[in-house]
Amino acid sequence: MLRYRLDEQGNGIGALAMREETMPQPGPHQILVRVRATSLNRRDTMILDGTYPLTPRAGIVPLSDGAGEVAAIGEGVTRFAVGDRVTGSYFARWIDGRMHAGIVDQLGCTLDGMLGEYALLDEQWAVRLPDHLSWQEAATFTCAGLTAWSALTGAEIPKPGQWVLVIGSGGVALFALQFAKLMGCRVAAVTSRAEKADRLRALGADLVIAATETPEWGMTVREATGGIDLVVETGGPATFAQSLIASALYGRIVLLTVQDKNGGSVEIPGAVYQRSLVTIGRLFVGSRNGLEAMLAAVATHRLRPVIDKVFPFAGAREAYRYFQEGDVFGKVVIEGV
Ligand SMILES: NC(=O)c1ccc[n+]([C@@H]2O[C@H](COP(=O)([O-])OP(=O)(O)OC[C@H]3O[C@@H](n4cnc5c(N)ncnc54)[C@H](OP(=O)(O)O)[C@@H]3O)[C@@H](O)[C@H]2O)c1
């Protein structure tokens, strides 16, 4: 069976190598998943570039996100049967409650991930998928979907009619837009590319700001909305100050990105924050229970993710390259073998 591995970390796309390997057999409490599709997240390019905060295991099979059906089960498996449609959980050992140092293992980083013909997972690391999703759609929720869901539901859930701000057109931002609309919220979206405005409106954004036309968009957003109640802050150093200016007095900012790829860090502008009672929170993706709750909502509303482009399995390097260039609208997907 075919699998990609990262042969040399920190060596960019050249480190990604496809190999023919022997078929793994599921041991006790393990499931063998026939992978039908996978998808990319920003962390996957950071792992490739050697800039991800968690050190990857040498020779790891990359990607946290993937979907497929259970092809075989090991002794003692109770959560799944052959034929079940499943996806993996990002922090495989984090079932519920709070994150701690003992459960930081991640698929596609310290544990073999999904970019292969088959993936061998502990039954505790996987969850069942909604029936309405295609394989390509089902392969997009593990990281970006759950991060957006956690940002919206992890602390105080925004009330119908309140304003949520999303930044950019990547996976997290578009899932946050879609989930916020499910919750009856109004959504403001900021994009660095004016040509994406119509697509953001078509997804339900009530207000779209092109940062190229309005670089100091914080006050514009605040005046148009009366103040943002929850910012899903994916922009980091480039956008944080404007997000703070855009926020309502008692707003909340879920800060998902603290540094940019040039080493710049988020800084709190003291003069703005002095006049503000905004709560700044952080999170790391989410637990398996969060993933199951999100997929239940996805099933109920028959929500479909936004897919930007699909690459064949043999074109995984091209998929990484395309994703790295950054001009995406939604998820970049790699088909199974
Ligand atoms: N803390 C966590 O648990 C967590 C989890 C997941 C992701 N994150 C972070 O959240 C951020 C979003 O992740 P993502 O996977 O959804 O998407 P992403 O691919 O990093 O975001 C892509 C979008 O960001 C905007 N963008 C602006 N300047 C960019 C640039 N120089 N390069 C790339 N994109 C640029 C673009 O939207 P426009 O063209 O519309 O401006 C682009 O479509 C990342 O920084 C990621 O590390 C954090």
Side-chain angles (χ1 to χ4, degrees):
M1 67 128 189
L2 294 170
R3 263 216 285 225
Y4 282 91
R5 289 189 182 273
L6 294 185
D7 281 343
E8 309 152 61
Q9 268 99 42
N11 190 24
I13 288 170
L16 192 63
M18 186 163 63
R19 292 193 197 149
E20 179 74 46
E21 297 187 1
T22 50
M23 180 75 93
Q25 297 301 320
H29 304 289
Q30 289 183 325
I31 57 174
L32 183 67
V33 179
R34 173 85 165 91
V35 181
R36 298 297 185 177
T38 55
S39 77
L40 290 167
N41 290 284
R42 190 55 48 198
R43 59 84 88 158
D44 298 309
T45 63
M46 293 169 78
I47 287 172
L48 211 61
D49 294 341
T51 56
Y52 194 59
L54 186 63
T55 306
R57 209 190 71 217
I60 200 78
V61 177
L63 303 192
S64 56
D65 286 33
E69 74 261 45
V70 176
I73 59 172
E75 198 187 321
V77 167
T78 56
R79 280 171 58 78
F80 302 105
V82 170
D84 283 350
R85 284 159 46 92
V86 296
T87 191
S89 178
Y90 188 88
F91 287 106
R93 303 186 203 285
W94 185 13
I95 306 300
D96 199 9
R98 287 186 163 184
M99 158 61 62
H100 60 80
I103 51 172
V104 294
D105 273 331
Q106 296 178 10
L107 294 180
C109 183
T110 54
L111 302 168
D112 278 340
M114 304 302 283
L115 192 53
E117 202 171 343
Y118 289 86
L120 191 61
L121 304 176
D122 187 285
E123 64 169 327
Q124 299 298 335
W125 304 353
V127 302
R128 226 177 237 95
L129 283 163
D131 293 336
H132 73 283
L133 298 170
S134 70
W135 288 123
Q136 293 174 3
E137 291 167 341
T140 63
F141 286 92
T142 294
C143 178
L146 181 54
T147 301
W149 180 259
S150 300
L152 285 159
T153 65
E156 195 185 331
I157 298 175
K159 295 176 182 59
Q162 288 192 324
W163 280 95
V164 173
L165 172 67
V166 302
I167 295 166
S169 324
V172 177
L174 296 192
F175 276 122
L177 195 170
Q178 290 178 291
F179 292 149
K181 294 308 290 185
L182 286 191
M183 293 168 183
C185 298
R186 289 179 285 179
V187 175
V190 175
T191 174
S192 67
R193 295 172 213 247
E195 63 272 20
K196 293 180 176 173
D198 286 345
R199 295 166 78 189
L200 289 163
R201 279 191 205 97
L203 266 185
D206 300 275
L207 172 71
V208 181
I209 302 277
T212 36
E213 291 162 8
T214 315
E216 306 281 310
W217 45 262
M219 195 47 78
T220 308
V221 170
R222 189 183 169 125
E223 282 170 5
T225 62
I228 295 292
D229 298 289
L230 174 66
V231 181
V232 181
E233 228 309 338
T234 50
T239 56
F240 178 77
Q242 295 305 313
S243 293
L244 190 57
I245 293 167
S247 294
L249 183 64
Y250 279 93
R252 287 186 298 124
I253 300 178
V254 180
L255 182 57
L256 295 171
T257 310
V258 176
Q259 283 196 309
D260 62 27
K261 60 182 176 194
N262 303 318
S265 294
V266 163
E267 285 174 16
I268 298 179
V272 180
Y273 206 32
Q274 198 166 25
R275 297 192 300 270
S276 155
L277 295 171
V278 163
T279 304
I280 301 169
R282 295 265 295 138
L283 63 82
F284 296 141
V285 187
S287 66
R288 191 188 79 192
N289 277 11
L291 182 64
E292 286 174 328
M294 173 195 65
L295 290 174
V298 166
T300 301
H301 294 274
R302 299 186 69 80
L303 184 142
R304 294 183 186 279
V306 180
I307 293 178
D308 178 285
K309 194 163 177 176
V310 181
F311 289 81
F313 186 79
R317 284 181 171 198
E318 284 69 43
Y320 268 83
R321 212 168 278 125
Y322 175 80
F323 182 71
Q324 264 176 347
E325 284 164 12
D327 186 18
V328 298
F329 193 89
K331 298 295 294 179
V332 174
V333 169
I334 302 170
E335 282 183 317
V337 180

